[in-house]
Amino acid sequence: MAPPNILIVGCGIAGPTLASFLLLADIPAAQKPRITILERESTRSAHLRGQNIDIRGAGVTIIRKLGLEAQIRASTTGEEGVQLVDEHNRVWSQNRVDKSGKIQMPTSDIEILRGRLAELCWKNSQRVSAEAEREGARGIEYIFGDYLDEIKQDDNKVHVHFAKSGEARSFDLLVGADGMQSRTRKMVWGEEGEKDRLKRIGMFAGFFSIPREEQDGKWRRWFHAPGRRGIMLRPDSLGVRSTIFMYVVNEKDPRFVKVTTKGNGGVEAQKALLEEYFKDAGWECDRIIREMKATDDFYYDAVSQVKMDSWTKGRVVLLGDAGYCASPISGLGTTLAFTAAYKLAGYLQKYIKGESPDPSAALAQYNEQMRPIIEDGQELAPGQPYIINPETAWGVWVMRVLIRSLSYTRIIFIVVKFFGKILHLGPQAADYVRVEDFGFKEMSVWKEEDTNQQS
């Protein structure tokens, strides 16, 4: 039996992680899969900006297996914790990151910009690929700057067409790891079902970075304004820029949904809408609006979760945000991506070895085993995102006083530690994922310069 030919769509975090573990499986080199990673972006160097994301619990165990922990920790933003600030920049409460590993606070001890983490995962997959090639396997083929415009499948193959090159190819398995707005999901499961799969939670947000100023330290500053408006300003890894999460919780103004769709003004309309909502909010909003207009890395979307009954269809499987985006406020999206990639690679081993005639058993196991993990990861605290984003000025004041009291008395740590564990809510859920031993070879600690020549 020839080694299976696998196409992974998306060179972010989950895609290269899956490819790496597939090649690290305890399988003879001649039997290891032929892997192609397709990335729509044309650049081979990931943009080092992007939003702050974190790695928790099981995710930390998995990056250690890849030899990536040291590199990732060397690239963290160094965020010290969260400060709740008012319109005069007065700090009402602050909750420092817990670096002991005993409790999962809003800030993890591994906070990193998404672009940097994606770059590290990609470059590390090159290292894994090079080692596999030295052992006689084919390694990973990377295709940048192209995308699929047709996906068809039969009982034996997935047949795809590349939009830019015009090439038609066939694969034994297709993995869609192309994010919350996954084209793979839309093409295979149908565009008409997107309204049922994408579950908006009432929050709309702009993500971008701005030049750092002196007052932008290592603490995340979180500002609330009446009207369920909020801004998080966070550090980057280089001390050069600050990242912004600028949001409104609003299900009444139809423009928030309208500007997410093509043909409705694009980025300029999105920026104008956020400017309208924040121009009178106080704090540092004038500065942030001014820099938002000039930034080149602005991204706007409805904060949503992806809910599906199954993440597989025939020989197509969804991985990470494409199948089960948990939303930025869950604190678990990145950890879920690492966990799912690791487990899927483990479940596919019997198929790759030829012990199973097709991948259906492995994909069924993936659906079954990941379901409780995903449900825990997508579970938001009761009342979120409304309860933490009050409508009135009075409500904002009460919320600040309450959080200040909880923080000062340390009750907030008891609530997070015990109720989070009991209910498996949010970041706490990362500690309850079992990392099975699939027999993968563990990579040595990686020095980035070892693969720079491959870039």
Side-chain angles (χ1 to χ4, degrees), residues 5 124 136 173 185 253 358 375:
N5 210 356
N124 197 52
L173 183 68
R185 184 183 69 237
D253 188 339
D358 59 53
E375 289 179 351

Side-chain angles (χ1 to χ4, degrees), residues 261-298:
T261 58
K262 292 181 179 179
N264 285 297
V267 169
E268 293 308 313
Q270 295 163 357
K271 289 183 178 182
L273 183 58
L274 289 177
E275 178 183 6
E276 177 185 330
Y277 268 80
F278 282 90
K279 64 184 178 183
D280 64 344
W283 188 53
E284 297 189 23
C285 289
D286 288 345
R287 165 204 171 191
I288 292 170
I289 289 170
R290 181 180 68 251
E291 298 296 348
M292 176 184 69
K293 291 179 178 179
T295 192
D296 61 356
D297 63 356
F298 180 87

Side-chain angles (χ1 to χ4, degrees), residues 81-147:
V82 184
Q83 293 178 332
L84 207 66
V85 300
D86 64 14
E87 58 272 16
H88 303 294
N89 204 39
R90 293 176 299 203
V91 177
W92 282 72
S93 68
Q94 64 180 35
N95 292 294
R96 188 177 294 275
V97 58
D98 180 77
K99 297 184 179 180
S100 69
K102 295 179 180 178
I103 184 171
Q104 297 285 3
M105 294 301 292
T107 292
S108 164
D109 66 328
I110 302 181
E111 297 278 348
I112 186 171
L113 297 186
R114 186 196 178 280
R116 177 58 174 158
L117 180 58
E119 181 181 55
L120 289 174
C121 289
W122 164 52
K123 287 188 173 181
N124 197 52
S125 73
Q126 290 179 293
R127 180 172 75 118
V128 174
S129 177
E131 187 164 314
E133 287 179 351
R134 286 193 292 271
E135 295 171 353
R138 175 180 151 176
I140 302 170
E141 173 193 13
Y142 300 89
I143 301 174
F144 290 88
D146 209 340
Y147 62 95

Side-chain angles (χ1 to χ4, degrees), residues 424-442:
H424 287 201
L425 286 178
Q428 298 296 326
D431 293 334
Y432 295 88
V433 177
R434 187 167 66 92
V435 181
E436 303 103 310
D437 183 2
F438 291 116
F440 295 129
K441 173 183 177 181
E442 293 198 14

Side-chain angles (χ1 to χ4, degrees), residues 184-216:
T184 305
R185 184 183 69 237
K186 294 172 186 176
M187 293 171 70
V188 175
W189 274 262
E191 183 85 38
E192 66 280 358
E194 283 294 285
K195 63 182 183 298
D196 297 319
R197 293 188 286 265
L198 267 178
K199 306 292 186 181
R200 292 196 292 267
I201 62 174
M203 178 184 282
F204 300 85
F207 307 80
F208 53 98
S209 67
I210 64 175
R212 183 184 183 277
E213 293 189 0
E214 186 176 353
Q215 69 272 22
D216 301 344

Side-chain angles (χ1 to χ4, degrees), residues 309-435:
D309 294 331
S310 173
W311 304 300
T312 66
K313 191 170 186 178
R315 289 175 173 265
V316 179
V317 55
L318 298 177
L319 180 65
D321 281 357
Y324 31 82
C325 177
S327 86
I329 63 174
S330 75
L332 277 177
T334 308
T335 295
L336 288 177
F338 278 120
T339 301
Y342 177 83
K343 289 180 179 292
L344 180 58
Y347 301 149
L348 283 169
Q349 286 190 71
K350 288 185 178 180
Y351 165 63
I352 292 169
K353 290 177 180 178
E355 297 173 12
S356 180
D358 59 53
S360 58
L363 300 186
Q365 189 176 13
Y366 171 73
N367 267 315
E368 178 185 353
Q369 297 298 318
M370 285 302 299
R371 180 64 57 182
I373 297 171
I374 299 305
E375 289 179 351
D376 269 358
Q378 291 186 327
E379 188 72 29
L380 302 179
Q384 286 287 58
Y386 292 89
I387 197 169
I388 197 66
N389 294 288
E391 178 65 40
T392 66
W394 169 252
V396 172
W397 183 85
V398 170
M399 181 268 296
R400 287 171 179 160
V401 170
L402 179 60
I403 293 180
R404 182 172 188 161
S405 301
L406 291 173
S407 298
Y408 182 76
T409 60
R410 311 293 286 178
I411 292 175
I412 194 168
F413 293 94
I414 297 173
V415 171
V416 170
K417 184 174 183 178
F418 292 103
F419 284 92
K421 285 186 176 181
I422 290 169
L423 300 176
H424 287 201
L425 286 178
Q428 298 296 326
D431 293 334
Y432 295 88
V433 177
R434 187 167 66 92
V435 181

